[in-house]
Amino acid sequence: MSFRFTTHHEAGRARTGTFVTPHGPIATPTFMAVGTLATVKALDPDDLRALGATMILGNAYHLHLRPGDALVREMGGLHRFMDWDGPILTDSGGFQVFSLEGLRTIDEGGVDFRSHIDGSKQRFTPESVMQIERNLGADVVMQFDHVAPGQSALDTSRDAMERSLRWLERCRVEHARLRRDDPDAPTPDQALFPIVQGGIHAELRQASCRGIRDGGDWIGYGIGGLSVGEAKPDMYAMLDVVDDALPHDRPRYLMGVGYPEDLVEAVRRGVDLFDCVAPTRMGRNGAALTRDGRINLRNARHRADPGPLDDACDCTTCRRFSRAYLRHLVTADEMLGLRLLSLHNVHFLVALMRDARAAVADGTFDGWSAAWLDRYLAGERARGSVARPVLPHSKK
Ligand SMILES: [Zn+2]
């Protein structure tokens, strides 16, 4: 077995650890940059290595449609295809397929949907998704799950959660079969992570965790269906429930959650892995993360500002370029602008998790996290930027 998770330090429920995968170790907690289409938008793998990224994410739905998982496999698998030799996790496509409201129909066997690219008819089943993820060759592969909207009523959330459990068993059987019958896959030893569902209903989250634990001994656990429109206190409450109901000696991955305050709150609640498209998407929209909240460089007040985006940030963008220059690039729609902002934003979250690890290790995490949140949220309130879109993390 190529996988191992060891915890080192604890501060309340926060912990540091090392998650070993076939493509190397990951210090946790960590933020994974999202490379939906086998590229973290605007960033070269060298950039990612330089800013300290260790594990990145790809997406089965998108890569199956384009360029096709069979082609990726023919080209040696995702690691070789995109020249990233570190750990990779692939999302199963459940979130994307269930986001195709009106374009998909669900039955117990799987989901029929139309491609968002060319309208072609497609079908995902737990078995077909395991084959797609086998072909892509990530280290960690997520189960195919049924994702319900964040504020779904009890019955809807229960149906999705129970179907996810039934699909998990089918994923487990197929994953084991492929490991046995397809030993020449790009990454022979892959870890299958189940996904905890249940919306914002504590009893369903507990039932989901019980069902998952009854179904096998898993290398790690995904927590899905959060940050999909529910209120933040509801999300944090669900993390409290899940923390109690999952084994503590395995990594937990909170899917699609990547606002800085959510990362800090979730680390406090025992989460180890995160991903979100927000940092690169924000970069393309001219927005940057700072310790004092998000800023938008299109705002005129940055016009003649000689300072960096964040004077404590040690990324390439902040070491070399002023807000005035970055604002100029953004307003002129120069490619370099979105690249430099994406670089900074991904670095910001990777470094935030590095600082969280250091604080847990030296026993200062409680004070550090409280001070960090106070400062960040005060800046957000001052700019009136606390309001959120309803679906902040669609992985398109
Ligand atoms: Zn920076």
Side-chain angles (χ1 to χ4, degrees):
M1 179 56 72
S2 325
F3 295 91
R4 194 170 62 249
F5 183 64
T6 314
T7 55
H8 306 303
H9 303 276
E10 292 183 7
R13 290 178 293 161
R15 68 267 189 89
T16 62
T18 304
F19 180 36
V20 177
T21 76
H23 287 85
I26 302 144
T28 61
T30 204
F31 175 78
M32 301 182 280
V34 178
T36 303
L37 279 167
T39 163
V40 177
K41 291 190 192 304
L43 303 184
D44 185 291
D46 287 341
D47 299 325
L48 295 169
R49 279 184 276 271
L51 64 78
T54 47
M55 187 174 205
I56 64 171
L57 188 138
N59 190 280
Y61 167 86
H62 290 280
L63 292 167
H64 171 67
L65 295 182
R66 188 167 57 191
D69 49 283
L71 179 80
V72 172
R73 178 169 179 157
E74 193 183 327
M75 295 293 109
L78 202 46
H79 290 90
R80 186 176 301 172
F81 189 51
M82 66 183 294
D83 190 30
W84 174 259
D85 58 5
I88 299 178
L89 177 150
T90 45
D91 192 3
S92 63
F95 180 85
Q96 284 72 28
V97 168
F98 285 96
S99 301
L100 296 168
E101 199 74 50
L103 295 171
R104 46 113 173 118
T105 51
I106 307 157
D107 58 68
E108 184 58 25
V111 183
D112 290 306
F113 61 97
R114 289 199 178 267
S115 160
H116 73 283
I117 299 169
D118 59 8
S120 61
K121 278 188 177 173
Q122 305 280 337
R123 180 172 174 81
F124 273 2
T125 66
E127 290 78 16
S128 72
V129 168
M130 287 298 98
Q131 180 68 65
I132 291 167
E133 295 194 270
R134 187 79 183 161
N135 288 342
L136 294 173
D139 301 81
V140 174
V141 302
M142 303 307 295
Q143 78 156 109
F144 189 51
D145 59 338
H146 184 159
V147 183
Q151 291 138 320
S152 296
L154 188 68
D155 284 353
T156 308
S157 293
R158 180 186 290 119
D159 285 349
M161 180 276 284
E162 290 177 347
R163 177 167 289 121
S164 295
L165 286 177
R166 293 191 296 273
W167 284 1
L168 173 62
E169 173 58 14
R170 287 167 57 188
C171 286
R172 187 188 66 74
V173 169
E174 181 66 3
H175 177 74
R177 188 192 70 78
L178 289 168
R179 280 175 58 123
R180 190 178 62 241
D181 296 349
D182 182 20
D184 301 326
T187 302
D189 195 10
Q190 297 178 293
L192 170 64
F193 277 24
I195 301 176
V196 177
Q197 290 290 353
I200 54 170
H201 308 285
E203 66 273 33
L204 297 185
R205 290 280 171 183
Q206 282 160 344
S208 179
C209 292
R210 269 197 309 276
I212 286 169
R213 297 184 70 171
D214 288 346
D217 182 25
W218 309 95
I219 290 167
Y221 295 80
I223 305 166
L226 290 173
S227 195
V228 288
E230 78 286 0
K232 277 179 184 291
D234 289 334
M235 172 166 86
Y236 300 150
M238 291 306 105
L239 293 179
D240 289 334
V241 169
V242 169
D243 175 54
D244 287 338
L246 290 181
H248 284 254
D249 59 352
R250 303 295 157 91
R252 293 93 169 270
Y253 159 38
L254 178 55
M255 304 178 69
V257 174
Y259 285 100
E261 68 273 36
D262 296 338
L263 263 60
V264 174
E265 292 283 6
V267 168
R268 277 180 165 178
R269 291 167 171 81
V271 175
D272 307 294
L273 299 168
F274 302 91
D275 78 286
C276 192
V277 295
T280 44
R281 177 174 294 171
M282 287 174 62
R284 296 199 297 284
N285 293 329
L289 296 165
T290 78
R291 286 173 302 154
D292 296 301
R294 288 170 286 170
I295 61 169
N296 194 322
L297 286 161
R298 295 184 191 279
N299 192 312
R301 69 194 183 86
H302 305 299
R303 192 182 64 85
D305 188 338
L309 291 173
D310 188 316
D311 56 22
C313 181
D314 56 358
C315 84
T316 307
T317 304
C318 291
R319 276 188 279 114
R320 298 170 64 198
F321 303 106
S322 66
R323 289 187 180 192
Y325 180 63
L326 294 167
R327 172 179 153 74
H328 158 64
L329 294 178
V330 166
T331 52
D333 281 331
E334 281 293 334
M335 281 185 286
L336 184 60
L338 70 89
R339 177 177 146 69
L340 292 175
L341 289 184
S342 295
L343 199 71
H344 164 80
N345 286 339
V346 173
H347 179 278
F348 187 88
L349 294 180
V350 168
L352 176 61
M353 292 296 92
R354 181 194 64 199
D355 293 348
R357 292 195 299 271
V360 171
D362 69 16
T364 58
F365 181 75
D366 282 352
W368 173 86
S369 59
W372 198 96
L373 286 168
D374 278 351
R375 178 171 175 171
Y376 184 85
L377 294 174
E380 289 274 279
R381 278 191 296 273
R383 287 183 197 86
S385 54
V386 179
R388 292 278 149 73
V390 171
L391 274 172
H393 81 304
S394 157
K395 289 175 184 165
K396 294 251 174 76

